[in-house]
Amino acid sequence: MSQEKSLRALSCADDYDPDSMPVDRARELIRTFLAPVTATERVHIRAALGRVLAADVVSPLAVPGHDNSAMDGYAVRYADLASGSETTLMRVGESFAGKPSGATVGPDQCVRIFTGAVMPQGADTVVMQERASEDAGRVRVAAGAVTKEGQNRRFAGEDLKAGQLVFRAGQLVHPAELGMMASLGIGEVTVFRKLRVAFFSTGDELKSIGTELAAGEIYDSNRYTIHGMLTRLSCDVLDMGVVPDVPEQLERAFADAAAAADVVITSGGVSVGEADFVKQLLDKLGEVVFWKIAMKPGRPLAYGRIGDAHFFGLPGNPVSVMVTFYEFVQDALRVLQGRREVVPLPMFKVPLSAPIRKVPGRTEFQRGILAADGNGGFTVRTTGDQGSGILSSMSQANCFIVLSAETGNCAVGDLVGVQLLEGLI
Ligand code: AMP
Ligand code: MG
C-alpha cells in the first residue's frame, strides 16, 4: 500500500472510531510511517553524547589489558597459604599501577601490589593489606585472609575482549558509552546526522517574549518547552516563531518549515473549530490525519506528512503540548534518529497517597509527585489542579500518573501506573 493510501486509511477505515483513537493505537500507526535518517558523520566521542551510533563498534583491544589487582595488598600464590593458620612470605618486589614489577613470585614469596597494578608472574591471588602485616620484608598473612584462588584479581578482558562487538549501530550514546569508547582508545565515532526539527506556534493571541501584551494576549510558552524537549533529544532546532491564524501566513509557514526540516511540529490550531481551517490547508500541502486521541490532556492531535517532512500538530494548551510530545513525538523522533530499540517509557505501579477522581473513557496523564513513604517504599499523589493550561503542574511533577481508559475513581492505596519524568542516564 502506498504511503498516501495508508495515511488516508488511518483517518477513516479502521477498527477504531477515529474520533477517539486509543493512545497505543495512535503510537503504533505513527510508527509505521517512520524511516530513520541514513546520513552519517564522524564526531569526537565527546560530541557523540546523546547521538546514535551509525556503525558497530568492535573492540580493538582487551579491557583491562592485563590481569591486575582489585585491591592494595600483596600478590601471592594461593597454594602457599596455610588453611587454618598464619603464613609468612618473603616480599620480592613492588607492582604499582602503571609500573609493573619485574619480579616473579616463587614459593613462599609475594609482591607488594596496588589497585590496578599488573599481577606479577607466578602470583594468582591478592591478599588485601588489612589482612597482612609487613616487617623487614617478611609479610605475615592472617589465617583465612582469602577464601579462594584468584580473589581480588581482575582478569584481562573481563570487561571487554579484543575483537568483541561492543556496540551495535543504533545505540544511543550515554556517559557510560563515552567512557567505554575511551577505555578502548576510540576517539572518534560514526553517528547518524542530527534530525532537523522546525516548529512554530499558531494563534492570534500569542506574543513572543520581549514584546508588550495587549488586552487578551498571552506570551507564547509552547515554543520554549518544545525547544527544551527537542534540545534534550539532540535535535537541530529551527524556531519559526508565532504565526497568526491567517491562512496565507500559515500556509507559507507550513511550506517553509517542511522544506527546511525533517520534522515539523506546531502547537495550537488543531482543536474543534480551528481544525477545519488548518485541515483544508494541510490537505492542500500534504497528507495529514486529525485524531481525537482518547486521552487527557491532549485530545486533538494531527499527524502526517507535508512534502518530505513528518508533521505533528500538537494541541495548544501548554500541558497538552508536553504530554503529547512525551507520549507520541519523543519516541517517533528516536526512531527517526536511527535508534535500534525504542520502547515506551517504563511504567511501574505505586500506591496512591491521596484519592483521584476520574471518569472512565480516556487514558489520563495526570501530573504526579512520587515521594518516599518513610518505610523504604514510595507513594504518589497528583500535583493538584490538572487543568491543561496549568503549566506549573509540569514543573512541580516528577512523574506522570497514567490512568488507563477503563479506570474510574481511585482511592488511597490503589496501585496506579507511574512514568518517571527524569532519568539517571
Ligand atoms: P488552541 O489549540 O489553539 O485552541 O489553543 C488552546 C489553548 O492553548 C488556548 O487557551 C490558547 O491560548 C493556548 N495556547 C495555544 N498556543 C499557545 C502557546 N504557544 N503558548 C501558550 N498558550 C498557548
Ligand atoms: Mg489557537
Side-chain angles (χ1 to χ4, degrees), residues 201-202 205-206 218-222 267-269 271 274 315-318:
S201 297
T202 70
E205 74 282 25
L206 303 176
I218 57 168
Y219 285 119
D220 171 10
S221 59
N222 291 342
S267 70
S271 40
E274 294 183 310
N317 278 305

Short mmCIF file of all heavy atoms in Angstrom, two decimals, residues 201-202 205-206 218-222 267-269 271 274 315-318, ligand 1:
data_model
loop_
_atom_site.label_atom_id
_atom_site.label_comp_id
_atom_site.label_asym_id
_atom_site.label_seq_id
_atom_site.Cartn_x
_atom_site.Cartn_y
_atom_site.Cartn_z
N SER A 201 4.37 28.30 16.65
CA SER A 201 3.12 28.34 17.41
C SER A 201 2.08 29.05 16.57
O SER A 201 2.42 29.99 15.84
CB SER A 201 3.31 29.10 18.72
OG SER A 201 4.25 28.44 19.53
N THR A 202 0.85 28.63 16.71
CA THR A 202 -0.22 29.31 15.98
C THR A 202 -1.19 29.94 16.96
O THR A 202 -1.48 29.35 18.00
CB THR A 202 -1.02 28.34 15.08
OG1 THR A 202 -1.78 27.46 15.92
CG2 THR A 202 -0.10 27.52 14.19
N GLU A 205 -3.64 35.23 19.57
CA GLU A 205 -3.48 35.78 20.92
C GLU A 205 -2.04 35.73 21.43
O GLU A 205 -1.74 36.22 22.50
CB GLU A 205 -4.39 35.02 21.90
CG GLU A 205 -3.95 33.60 22.30
CD GLU A 205 -4.21 32.51 21.26
OE1 GLU A 205 -4.29 32.83 20.06
OE2 GLU A 205 -4.28 31.34 21.66
N LEU A 206 -1.14 35.11 20.64
CA LEU A 206 0.20 34.83 21.16
C LEU A 206 1.19 35.95 20.85
O LEU A 206 1.24 36.47 19.73
CB LEU A 206 0.73 33.52 20.56
CG LEU A 206 -0.13 32.29 20.80
CD1 LEU A 206 0.46 31.10 20.07
CD2 LEU A 206 -0.25 32.01 22.29
N ILE A 218 -1.45 36.67 25.30
CA ILE A 218 -0.61 35.89 26.24
C ILE A 218 0.75 35.66 25.60
O ILE A 218 0.89 35.72 24.37
CB ILE A 218 -1.24 34.52 26.60
CG1 ILE A 218 -1.49 33.69 25.33
CG2 ILE A 218 -2.54 34.70 27.37
CD1 ILE A 218 -1.83 32.23 25.62
N TYR A 219 1.73 35.39 26.45
CA TYR A 219 3.04 35.04 25.91
C TYR A 219 3.03 33.59 25.44
O TYR A 219 2.41 32.72 26.05
CB TYR A 219 4.13 35.23 26.97
CG TYR A 219 4.47 36.68 27.19
CD1 TYR A 219 4.29 37.27 28.43
CD2 TYR A 219 4.97 37.46 26.15
CE1 TYR A 219 4.60 38.61 28.63
CE2 TYR A 219 5.27 38.80 26.33
CZ TYR A 219 5.08 39.37 27.57
OH TYR A 219 5.37 40.68 27.76
N ASP A 220 3.73 33.38 24.36
CA ASP A 220 3.87 32.03 23.80
C ASP A 220 4.87 31.25 24.65
O ASP A 220 6.05 31.57 24.70
CB ASP A 220 4.41 32.19 22.36
CG ASP A 220 4.81 30.87 21.72
OD1 ASP A 220 4.52 29.81 22.31
OD2 ASP A 220 5.42 30.92 20.63
N SER A 221 4.39 30.24 25.33
CA SER A 221 5.31 29.41 26.13
C SER A 221 5.66 28.10 25.41
O SER A 221 6.71 27.52 25.65
CB SER A 221 4.70 29.11 27.51
OG SER A 221 3.48 28.43 27.35
N ASN A 222 4.78 27.67 24.51
CA ASN A 222 5.00 26.34 23.91
C ASN A 222 6.31 26.23 23.14
O ASN A 222 6.95 25.19 23.14
CB ASN A 222 3.84 25.99 22.97
CG ASN A 222 2.55 25.74 23.73
OD1 ASN A 222 2.59 25.52 24.95
ND2 ASN A 222 1.43 25.79 23.03
N SER A 267 2.04 23.94 17.47
CA SER A 267 1.11 23.83 18.60
C SER A 267 -0.03 24.79 18.36
O SER A 267 0.14 25.86 17.79
CB SER A 267 1.81 24.14 19.92
OG SER A 267 2.12 25.50 20.02
N GLY A 268 -1.21 24.34 18.79
CA GLY A 268 -2.42 25.14 18.62
C GLY A 268 -3.03 24.91 17.25
O GLY A 268 -2.41 24.34 16.35
N GLY A 269 -4.27 25.34 17.15
CA GLY A 269 -4.93 25.31 15.85
C GLY A 269 -5.47 23.96 15.41
O GLY A 269 -5.93 23.82 14.28
N SER A 271 -7.71 22.23 17.52
CA SER A 271 -8.93 21.91 18.25
C SER A 271 -10.15 22.15 17.38
O SER A 271 -10.07 22.75 16.30
CB SER A 271 -9.00 22.70 19.56
OG SER A 271 -8.56 24.00 19.38
N GLU A 274 -11.04 25.24 14.94
CA GLU A 274 -9.83 25.66 14.23
C GLU A 274 -9.39 24.58 13.24
O GLU A 274 -8.81 24.86 12.22
CB GLU A 274 -8.70 25.90 15.22
CG GLU A 274 -8.97 27.07 16.14
CD GLU A 274 -7.79 27.31 17.07
OE1 GLU A 274 -7.32 26.36 17.71
OE2 GLU A 274 -7.35 28.46 17.14
N PRO A 315 -1.76 19.98 20.33
CA PRO A 315 -2.78 20.91 20.82
C PRO A 315 -2.12 22.20 21.32
O PRO A 315 -0.90 22.27 21.44
CB PRO A 315 -3.44 20.17 21.98
CG PRO A 315 -2.83 18.83 22.05
CD PRO A 315 -1.65 18.78 21.16
N GLY A 316 -2.92 23.21 21.62
CA GLY A 316 -2.34 24.49 22.04
C GLY A 316 -2.05 24.59 23.52
O GLY A 316 -1.11 25.27 23.94
N ASN A 317 -2.86 23.91 24.32
CA ASN A 317 -2.67 24.05 25.76
C ASN A 317 -1.29 23.58 26.19
O ASN A 317 -0.83 22.52 25.78
CB ASN A 317 -3.75 23.27 26.52
CG ASN A 317 -5.04 24.04 26.60
OD1 ASN A 317 -5.05 25.17 27.09
ND2 ASN A 317 -6.13 23.45 26.11
N PRO A 318 -0.62 24.39 27.01
CA PRO A 318 0.78 24.12 27.35
C PRO A 318 1.04 22.74 27.96
O PRO A 318 2.07 22.13 27.64
CB PRO A 318 1.12 25.24 28.34
CG PRO A 318 0.24 26.38 27.90
CD PRO A 318 -1.05 25.73 27.47
P1 AMP B 1 -5.83 26.12 20.56
O1 AMP B 1 -5.48 24.68 20.50
O2 AMP B 1 -5.16 26.94 19.54
O3 AMP B 1 -7.31 26.31 20.59
O4 AMP B 1 -5.30 26.63 21.97
C1 AMP B 1 -5.79 26.08 23.17
C2 AMP B 1 -5.36 26.94 24.35
O5 AMP B 1 -3.94 26.96 24.43
C3 AMP B 1 -5.75 28.40 24.24
O6 AMP B 1 -6.09 28.86 25.54
C4 AMP B 1 -4.51 29.09 23.74
O7 AMP B 1 -4.46 30.44 24.10
C5 AMP B 1 -3.43 28.28 24.42
N1 AMP B 1 -2.21 28.32 23.63
C6 AMP B 1 -2.11 28.00 22.33
N2 AMP B 1 -0.85 28.13 21.90
C7 AMP B 1 -0.13 28.54 22.97
C8 AMP B 1 1.25 28.88 23.18
N3 AMP B 1 2.11 28.76 22.16
N4 AMP B 1 1.66 29.26 24.40
C9 AMP B 1 0.76 29.35 25.40
N5 AMP B 1 -0.54 29.04 25.28
C10 AMP B 1 -1.00 28.67 24.09
#
